[in-house]
């Protein structure tokens, strides 16, 4: 090891077959991880829309004062298309998904070319650079039929009505790596306290993101290590006795 003749591989993806270890695939995995890992998704739920809006405003102020998170940069998010564009990775229209699953690439290309030359569809250089097959615009075109007018933007946040209750989504960004144990401990304590305060306001909150799962994994690992350590010590004492 000291003579640098032994290379210790710490990348878990190295356990995959060689076909899955291409540089392009690794770059894609890193890009996806960087896009998702530093975000926390919060859904607020209440019977009355005014309560959700008030809780959302309070939560954003509470987030800024904590120093543990940062709100996304303010921008023009008046339309759902702009909000969905931030999460465009993996959003596919049903027809495009079927074409990819059946490896019908010719139909996918023809559909993209037809949309590109359509006079009613504006195509920009940036759009072609980021989405050359125009997958996201087709997803947005089919999204309206699926939502049935239920999803809308209120105060710059996606809002919907589900089973008689109003839900609003807030996406915040982490200020540190979600895998730092000290940061996990600080944020988990803050989340537990914030959940309690929201509950006192009559607001149900649902939290998800890489940080939540990483923190749970860290706690499980610590408990397992403690259990194994205690068991090993007791076994050693018994053997010596």
């Amino acid at each position: 090891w000291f003579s640098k003749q032994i290379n210790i591989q710490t990348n878990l993806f190295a356990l995959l077959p060689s076909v899955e270890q291409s540089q392009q695939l690794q770059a894609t995995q890193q890009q996806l991880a960087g896009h998702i890992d530093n975000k926390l998704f919060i859904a607020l739920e209440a019977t009355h829309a005014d309560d959700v809006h008030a809780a959302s405003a309070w939560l954003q102020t509470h987030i800024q004062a904590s120093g543990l998170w940062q709100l996304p940069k303010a921008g023009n998010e008046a339309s759902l298309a702009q909000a969905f564009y931030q999460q465009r990775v993996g959003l596919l229209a049903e027809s495009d998904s079927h074409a990819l699953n059946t490896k019908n690439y010719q139909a996918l290309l023809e559909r993209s070319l037809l949309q590109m030359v359509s006079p009613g569809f504006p195509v920009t250089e940036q759009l072609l650079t980021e989405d050359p097959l125009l997958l996201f615009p087709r997803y947005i075109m089919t999204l309206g039929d699926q939502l049935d007018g239920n999803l809308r933007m209120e105060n710059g946040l996606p809002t919907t009505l589900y089973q008689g209750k109003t839900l609003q989504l807030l996406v915040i960004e982490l200020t540190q790596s979600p895998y730092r144990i000290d940061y996990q401990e600080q944020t988990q304590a803050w989340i537990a306290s914030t959940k309690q305060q929201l509950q006192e306001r009559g607001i149900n909150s649902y939290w998800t993101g890489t940080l939540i799962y990483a923190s749970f994994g860290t706690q499980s690992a610590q408990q397992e290590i403690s259990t194994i350590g205690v068991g090993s010590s007791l076994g050693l004492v018994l053997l010596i006795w």
Side-chain angles (χ1 to χ4, degrees):
W1 186 7
F2 285 111
S3 63
K4 297 182 180 180
Q5 294 180 354
I6 299 177
N7 180 25
I8 297 179
Q9 176 62 263
T10 59
N11 183 9
L12 291 178
F13 291 106
L15 298 175
L16 297 175
S18 57
V19 179
E20 303 294 335
Q21 298 182 29
S22 65
Q23 295 182 356
Q24 293 84 354
L25 182 59
Q26 291 183 0
T28 303
Q29 291 168 345
Q30 293 176 359
Q31 184 177 2
L32 288 174
H35 179 71
I36 297 297
D37 286 357
N38 67 333
K39 289 183 173 57
L40 187 69
F41 302 86
I42 309 170
L44 304 179
E45 178 189 61
T47 304
H48 303 289
D50 293 340
D51 295 338
V52 173
H53 296 158
S56 177
W58 172 84
L59 181 59
Q60 294 184 57
T61 303
H62 190 51
I63 289 171
Q64 290 178 323
S66 68
L68 298 173
W69 324 91
Q70 59 184 5
L71 294 172
K73 296 181 180 180
N76 182 17
E77 294 186 352
S79 68
L80 283 174
Q82 291 173 325
F84 273 98
Y85 188 74
Q86 303 300 322
Q87 314 297 334
R88 64 187 180 279
V89 179
L91 299 179
L92 290 173
E94 184 177 354
S95 58
D96 291 338
S97 177
H98 179 72
L100 289 172
N101 288 328
T102 57
K103 297 184 179 181
N104 190 2
Y105 305 130
Q106 186 61 33
L108 188 65
L109 291 174
E110 291 178 357
R111 194 179 301 126
S112 301
L113 289 174
L114 180 62
Q115 188 173 1
M116 189 179 302
V117 299
S118 175
F121 185 83
V123 178
T124 63
E125 180 181 356
Q126 181 180 1
L127 180 60
L128 286 176
T129 302
E130 298 178 353
D131 188 5
L133 291 178
L134 303 177
L135 298 176
F136 178 74
R138 284 199 295 277
Y139 171 80
I140 289 297
M141 293 173 63
T142 60
L143 188 62
D145 299 333
Q146 301 176 21
L147 297 176
D148 195 20
N150 191 25
L151 187 62
R152 59 194 181 277
M153 296 294 289
E154 294 184 0
N155 299 328
L157 299 175
T159 307
T160 187
L161 187 65
Y162 180 71
Q163 294 183 350
K165 294 185 177 181
T166 301
L167 288 96
Q168 194 165 66
L169 176 66
L170 179 64
V171 182
I172 61 178
E173 298 179 357
L174 281 60
T175 57
Q176 301 182 37
S177 170
Y179 303 104
R180 289 191 55 174
I181 297 179
D182 56 343
Y183 184 64
Q184 292 175 2
E185 295 174 349
Q186 296 174 11
T187 53
Q188 288 302 311
W190 184 90
I191 290 174
S193 174
T194 304
K195 280 185 176 181
Q196 181 64 30
Q197 296 181 59
L198 289 171
Q199 191 67 37
E200 294 174 356
R201 293 170 171 262
I203 304 295
N204 296 325
S205 60
Y206 308 95
W207 307 62
T208 188
T210 302
L211 175 67
I212 304 296
Y213 297 101
S215 178
F216 178 79
T218 299
Q219 295 175 9
S220 299
Q222 290 175 341
Q223 293 175 358
E224 293 174 359
I225 291 173
S226 299
T227 302
I228 294 174
V230 172
S232 300
S233 300
L234 293 177
L236 181 61
V237 170
L238 180 61
L239 288 173
I240 293 176
W241 179 80

